[in-house]
């Protein structure tokens, strides 16, 4: 069983945190992850910064630019993972756009990510149609492959997403880029129901969740929630990550 | 001859059902956009099978945009160079001043057919933005155009034209503030408003079906040129030249010649200021295969897979990825790709202006300059150069770059 599979068997709603690795600088990331873990985060998505983050809103775009300015490459993110792994067993999901991986090479990434203690990978702009080689290589290395399901996905596509995913399915709750929202989307309930009928994989809901109350509401029909931009914004402001993670945890468990 | 003909069979039949030209192209976008792209592909293929759709498009191309465009024999220029007989395909004469209107009209009709009333587009030089704003005004559709602030500065006139046509122009302030960032912002808008919005992409770029669809809407350029040269010369040309930004005017004129083995197809990229990464947009000589904005193709990038900045005096060629079908034609050896520096493109523009009275768009000037270089040694040959646009939008840039012609310097030297 992978670390990701294990954490979804814990019995509690899983709290997933996204942060852009290398923001504000590569040396800072391991301690930020530790603070999140102390606050009750169960799984961390390490975002690989990219020059053209088309799926991200302004908060993560800016974080990406800061991380790149500090020299955060994909290789550097793996180094960060290795540092985290020295003191923590928290599941780590590499969250990345395609091109840095194309450049690094799928085989090299699978090998080096596994060695660094990464547990799985999600590629924002890799559709299941293009993923055959990638899946084989990742699975052979013992890494989970997480794919996105979206409100626009047709039943046929949800079938494919469920089939190609392992560890969990990341359920995008609304159309749009990453970013906090005051109102949560209502369309996620039916989407989760459709997916339940197609897979036994855990379902984590993300996009727009920024506080404990929203976390609880989003987790109602899912197995976990993902919080991203709210965490990245707090990092930018130098706020108390551990306390924020705890408030999300309490909201979820509440 | 058989040896060269055979490998060409099928080269023009792409893409495959998943949008691949050989290894290139495909669909690399977030899941939210996957079903909308499938829906778009279906709607496009159905429209193309519908005689009423084709008839309406043909009518607009003819009576509104000004097709067919002439194939003009440049007698003075050809004589001056003493080599090839040079013809210009006059896309510059089209309504709005460039080839871009072919695709904008086609896609705007498709959007209306799909019931989408909000159109978004990106623009570099502003020509695609103007063409889209024009098509939207004509069809009564809402229009939002994303444009990098650097491009808004250098293509000021086109910003005003779009506003005059009723479009909203949104300045993009992130990244290099050029075409790449405008496309990123347009994609972010699309993923957010996908249910009611049609993304009218302006070059042979992006995820399938865009590269195929944009090519198809521009194939009229090559189809006409082929008939026209046969009528004028009784034979096919020896070489066809076109500038390549994303690659729409080039693929439009190349495609109908792809299976004609004797016709050299020559694409010209922006050589910019120098060969240093960041100072040009020559994807084949300076790039490597990668993914940007939904497609896999040659991409200017650093060793870590971050997209490189680009430079060209012409906003329309200033982009880090080349359209995927060009990557395929390149790898198969069917088309050649050269590049032309900023300053050489200006020389080409000046020579064409003064010899033939044709002021080309800066983008087109890149193709002009390289064709003029090759003409003297090509006695007995026939060249066709795609004059993709006229230079009206670039007058400010010509003034900046040719200060010796400016009114102030005349006064100073008088
Ligand atoms: C006149 C003209 N030619 C060429 C281009 C380059 O685009 P493409 O390579 O898609 O033809 C542009 C783009 O703005 C243009 O305005």
């Amino acid at each position: 069983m992978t670390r990701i599979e294990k954490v979804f068997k814990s019995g509690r709603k899983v709290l997933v945190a996204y942060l852009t690795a290398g923001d504000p600088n590569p040396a800072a990331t391991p301690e930020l992850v530790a603070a999140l873990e102390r606050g009750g985060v169960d799984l961390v998505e390490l975002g690989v910064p990219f020059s053209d983050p088309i799926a991200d809103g302004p908060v993560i775009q800016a974080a990406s630019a800061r991380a790149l300015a500090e020299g955060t490459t994909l290789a550097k993110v793996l180094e960060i993972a290795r540092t985290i792994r020295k003191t923590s067993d928290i599941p780590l999901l590499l969250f990345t756009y395609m091109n840095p991986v194309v450049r690094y090479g799928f085989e090299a990434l699978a090998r080096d990510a596994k060695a660094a203690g990464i547990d799985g990978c999600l590629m924002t702009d890799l559709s299941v149609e293009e993923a055959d080689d990638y899946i084989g290589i990742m699975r052979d290395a013992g890494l989970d492959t997480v794919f996105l399901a979206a409100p626009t996905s047709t039943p046929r596509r949800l079938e494919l997403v469920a089939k190609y995913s392992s560890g969990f399915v990341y359920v995008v709750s609304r159309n749009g880029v990453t970013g906090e929202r005051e109102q949560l989307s209502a369309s996620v309930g039916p989407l989760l129901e459709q997916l339940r009928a197609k897979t036994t994989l855990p379902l984590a809901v993300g996009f727009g969740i920024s506080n404990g109350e929203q976390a609880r509401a989003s987790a109602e029909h899912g197995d976990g929630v993902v919080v991203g931009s709210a965490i990245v914004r707090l990092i930018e402001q130098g706020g108390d990550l551990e306390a924020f993670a705890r408030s999300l945890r309490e909201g979820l468990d509440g | 001859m058989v040896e060269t003909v055979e490998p060409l069979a099928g080269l023009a039949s792409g893409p495959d059902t998943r949008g691949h030209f050989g290894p290139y192209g495909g669909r690399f976008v977030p899941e939210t956009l996957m079903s909308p792209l499938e829906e778009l592909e279906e709607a496009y293929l159905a429209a193309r099978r519908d005689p009423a759709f084709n008839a309406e498009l043909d009518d607009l191309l003819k009576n509104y945009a000004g097709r067919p465009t002439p194939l003009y024999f440049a007698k003075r220029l050809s004589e001056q160079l003493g080599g090839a007989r040079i013809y210009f395909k006059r896309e510059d004469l089209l309504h709005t001043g460039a080839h871009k209107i072919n695709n904008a009209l086609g896609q705007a009709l498709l959007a209306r057919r799909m019931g989408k009333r909000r159109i978004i587009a990106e623009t570099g030089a502003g020509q695609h933005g103007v063409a889209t704003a024009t098509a939207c005004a004509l069809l009564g559709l809402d229009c939002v155009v994303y444009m990098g602030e650097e491009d808004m500065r250098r293509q000021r006139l086109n910003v005003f034209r779009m506003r005059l046509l009723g479009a909203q122009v949104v300045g993009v302030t992130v990244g290099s503030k050029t075409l790449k960032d405008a496309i990123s912002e347009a994609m972010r808008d699309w993923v957010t408003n996908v249910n009611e919005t049609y993304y009218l992409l302006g070059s042979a770029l992006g995820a399938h079906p865009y590269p195929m669809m944009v090519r198809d809407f521009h194939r009229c350029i090559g189809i006409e040129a082929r008939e026209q040269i046969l009528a004028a010369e009784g034979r096919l040309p020896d070489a066809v030249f076109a500038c390549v930004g994303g690659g729409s005017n080039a693929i439009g004129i190349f495609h109908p010649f792809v299976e004609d083995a004797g016709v050299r197809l020559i694409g010209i990229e922006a050589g910019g200021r120098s060969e240093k990464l960041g100072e040009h947009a020559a994807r084949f000589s300076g790039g490597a295969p990668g993914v940007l904005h939904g497609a896999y193709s040659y991409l200017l990038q650093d060793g870590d897979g971050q997209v490189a900045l680009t430079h060209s005096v012409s906003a329309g060629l200033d982009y880090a990825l080349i359209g995927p079908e060009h990557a395929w034609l390149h790898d198969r050896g069917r088309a050649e790709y050269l590049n032309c520096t900023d300053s050489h493109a200006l020389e080409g523009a000046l020579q064409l202006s003064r010899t033939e009275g044709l002021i080309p768009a800066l983008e087109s000037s890149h193709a002009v300059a390289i064709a003029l270089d090759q003409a003297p040694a090509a006695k007995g040959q026939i060249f066709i150069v795609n004059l993709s646009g006229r230079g009206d939008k670039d007058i400010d840039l010509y003034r900046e770059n040719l200060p010796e012609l400016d009114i102030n310097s005349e006064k100073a030297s008088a």
Side-chain angles (χ1 to χ4, degrees):
Chain A
M1 211 185 318
T2 65
R3 282 193 194 89
I4 293 175
E5 287 170 339
K6 221 179 290 171
V7 81
F8 277 99
K9 294 218 153 64
S10 67
R12 68 174 180 177
K13 299 283 185 185
V14 170
L15 177 56
V16 181
Y18 167 94
L19 81 178
T20 303
D23 170 41
N25 59 67
T29 304
E31 173 46 34
L32 296 171
V33 170
L36 290 167
E37 190 176 7
R38 286 194 302 274
V41 165
D42 301 304
L43 191 161
V44 168
E45 294 179 353
L46 282 179
V48 177
F50 183 51
S51 52
D52 298 83
I54 53 146
D56 287 300
V59 171
I60 294 178
Q61 282 177 48
S64 208
R66 287 191 297 271
L68 286 175
E70 291 293 324
T72 313
T73 59
L74 178 51
K76 187 70 111 187
V77 177
L78 298 181
E79 219 178 289
I80 291 170
R82 207 172 298 121
T83 307
I84 295 168
R85 233 350 130 236
K86 282 183 190 153
T87 57
S88 168
D89 216 30
I90 194 162
L92 294 173
L93 181 74
L94 201 64
F95 197 99
T96 183
Y97 288 88
M98 274 288 284
N99 201 56
V101 178
V102 170
R103 192 70 186 187
Y104 197 96
F106 286 128
E107 269 111 1
L109 177 73
R111 179 192 66 220
D112 295 352
K114 185 69 188 174
I118 295 279
D119 301 295
C121 191
L122 190 162
M123 300 234 252
T124 320
D125 49 354
L126 178 64
S127 57
V128 286
E129 278 81 352
E130 303 282 353
D132 273 342
D133 292 350
Y134 159 81
I135 301 230
I137 292 165
M138 293 288 147
R139 298 282 179 83
D140 284 351
L143 293 165
D144 279 319
T145 55
V146 178
F147 283 88
L148 302 168
T152 51
S153 303
T154 53
R156 188 188 67 82
R157 299 201 56 79
L158 291 178
E159 199 92 45
L160 291 172
V161 166
K163 184 172 136 207
Y164 281 95
S165 295
S166 72
F168 68 99
V169 177
Y170 186 134
V171 183
V172 175
S173 63
R174 59 172 166 74
N175 296 340
V177 293
T178 57
E180 301 154 81
R181 287 288 192 288
E182 278 173 20
Q183 288 278 303
L184 286 183
S185 155
S187 59
V188 71
L191 179 56
L192 289 166
E193 260 171 53
Q194 280 196 69
L195 274 165
R196 287 284 187 223
K198 297 183 193 305
T199 181
T200 54
L201 283 173
L203 308 177
V205 180
F207 270 48
I209 302 168
S210 58
N211 59 47
E213 199 183 315
Q214 290 179 340
R216 177 166 46 226
S218 302
E220 196 183 340
H221 302 289
D223 305 297
V225 298
V226 187
V227 179
S229 294
I231 286 170
V232 173
R233 189 173 45 80
L234 203 60
I235 291 171
E236 182 184 358
Q237 295 166 347
D240 186 341
L241 267 197
E242 184 177 335
F244 181 60
R246 189 163 296 120
S247 73
L248 294 170
R249 179 83 262 164
E250 281 161 5
L252 263 187
D253 295 344
Chain B
M1 265 335 264
V2 174
E3 266 172 37
T4 47
V5 171
E6 246 188 339
L8 297 187
L11 245 190
S13 66
D16 66 17
T17 52
R18 283 163 55 206
H20 291 131
F21 300 93
Y24 302 109
R27 231 173 226 165
F28 295 92
V29 294
E31 174 60 24
T32 306
L33 293 178
M34 286 301 290
S35 296
L37 285 166
E38 289 174 356
E39 190 191 333
L40 174 61
E41 181 186 359
E42 238 169 74
Y44 170 66
L45 294 174
R48 286 296 22 197
R49 283 190 301 267
D50 177 357
F53 177 87
N54 291 315
E56 187 172 9
L57 178 56
D58 287 348
D59 177 66
L60 286 178
L61 288 173
K62 178 165 179 248
N63 296 309
Y64 183 73
R67 299 216 74 89
T69 59
L71 183 72
Y72 165 70
F73 173 55
K75 183 160 174 286
R76 243 169 75 75
L77 188 65
S78 301
E79 277 169 7
Q80 191 181 75
L81 295 166
R85 292 169 62 78
I86 304 173
Y87 285 81
F88 288 99
K89 182 60 178 162
R90 299 289 310 275
E91 294 300 291
D92 62 316
L93 287 175
L94 284 173
H95 180 41
T96 69
H99 70 291
K100 299 282 181 186
I101 192 76
N102 301 324
N103 169 55
L105 286 171
Q107 285 198 60
L109 284 178
L110 180 61
R112 193 186 63 183
R113 189 184 156 96
M114 291 174 74
K116 312 259 182 190
R117 304 214 58 87
R118 178 175 183 267
I119 307 294
I120 58 171
E122 82 297 335
T123 196
Q127 284 306 118
H128 174 59
V130 167
T132 303
T134 298
C136 288
L138 179 69
L139 299 179
L141 303 166
D142 293 336
C143 181
V144 178
V145 180
Y146 289 92
M147 187 170 190
E149 288 208 329
E150 166 63 14
D151 290 339
M152 286 178 79
R153 184 193 64 75
R154 51 182 169 170
Q155 301 285 334
R156 199 172 314 151
L157 187 66
N158 273 343
V159 175
F160 185 74
R161 286 170 83 193
M162 287 184 267
R163 290 184 174 150
L164 201 59
L165 290 159
Q168 182 194 348
V169 182
V170 181
V172 177
T173 57
V174 295
S176 55
K177 304 181 176 67
T178 61
L179 182 57
K180 166 173 91 95
D181 311 285
I183 297 181
S184 292
E185 276 302 291
M187 288 182 80
R188 292 184 186 114
D189 180 322
W190 196 34
V191 80
T192 306
N193 303 299
V194 62
N195 291 329
E196 61 278 2
T197 299
Y198 183 97
Y199 181 16
L200 207 161
L201 186 60
S203 191
L205 294 168
H208 180 60
Y210 284 106
M212 167 181 80
M213 181 166 70
V214 175
R215 174 200 70 198
D216 291 352
F217 285 133
H218 285 302
R219 279 186 88 242
C220 51
I221 308 172
I223 292 170
E224 287 170 11
R226 203 170 181 285
E227 284 171 8
Q228 289 165 324
I229 200 72
L230 286 173
E233 294 277 354
R235 69 175 183 91
L236 291 172
D238 297 283
V240 177
F241 297 80
C243 65
V244 191
S248 69
N249 88 86
I251 203 70
I253 196 165
F254 287 177
H255 199 260
F257 292 103
V258 162
E259 293 186 350
D260 298 318
V263 181
R264 289 167 67 208
L265 304 176
I266 303 169
I268 293 99
E269 300 175 276
R273 268 187 225 109
S274 82
E275 288 175 17
K276 222 174 100 196
L277 190 65
E279 303 212 325
H280 62 82
R283 285 72 47 107
F284 286 121
S285 56
V291 171
L292 181 65
H293 295 142
Y296 181 65
S297 186
Y298 282 78
L299 174 66
L300 288 166
Q301 54 185 314
D302 69 14
D304 299 309
Q306 303 298 337
V307 179
L309 296 183
T310 51
H311 162 81
S312 170
V313 66
S314 67
L317 304 185
D318 198 351
Y319 182 64
L321 187 108
I322 194 161
E325 192 164 8
H326 288 289
W328 178 228
L329 294 177
H330 169 269
D331 282 14
R332 289 293 304 268
R334 179 58 190 99
E336 309 156 47
Y337 295 84
L338 306 173
N339 58 72
C340 171
T341 61
D342 288 351
S343 55
H344 195 48
L346 286 162
E347 287 166 8
L350 211 53
Q351 193 171 349
L352 183 62
S353 302
R354 296 192 167 176
T355 315
E356 293 288 345
L358 298 170
I359 302 177
L362 269 168
E363 289 78 14
S364 323
S365 306
H366 288 69
V368 170
I370 297 297
L372 300 194
D373 289 347
Q374 295 199 3
K379 189 124 191 103
Q381 294 193 19
I382 299 167
F383 283 5
I384 296 179
V385 182
N386 198 15
L387 203 56
S388 58
R390 57 179 179 246
D392 305 28
K393 71 180 177 63
D394 292 319
I395 295 303
D396 278 349
L397 282 164
Y398 282 127
R399 276 182 65 190
E400 259 176 53
N401 285 282
L402 301 164
E404 66 277 14
L405 303 184
D406 204 19
I407 184 159
N408 295 324
S409 74
E410 249 171 60
K411 263 192 215 143
S413 60

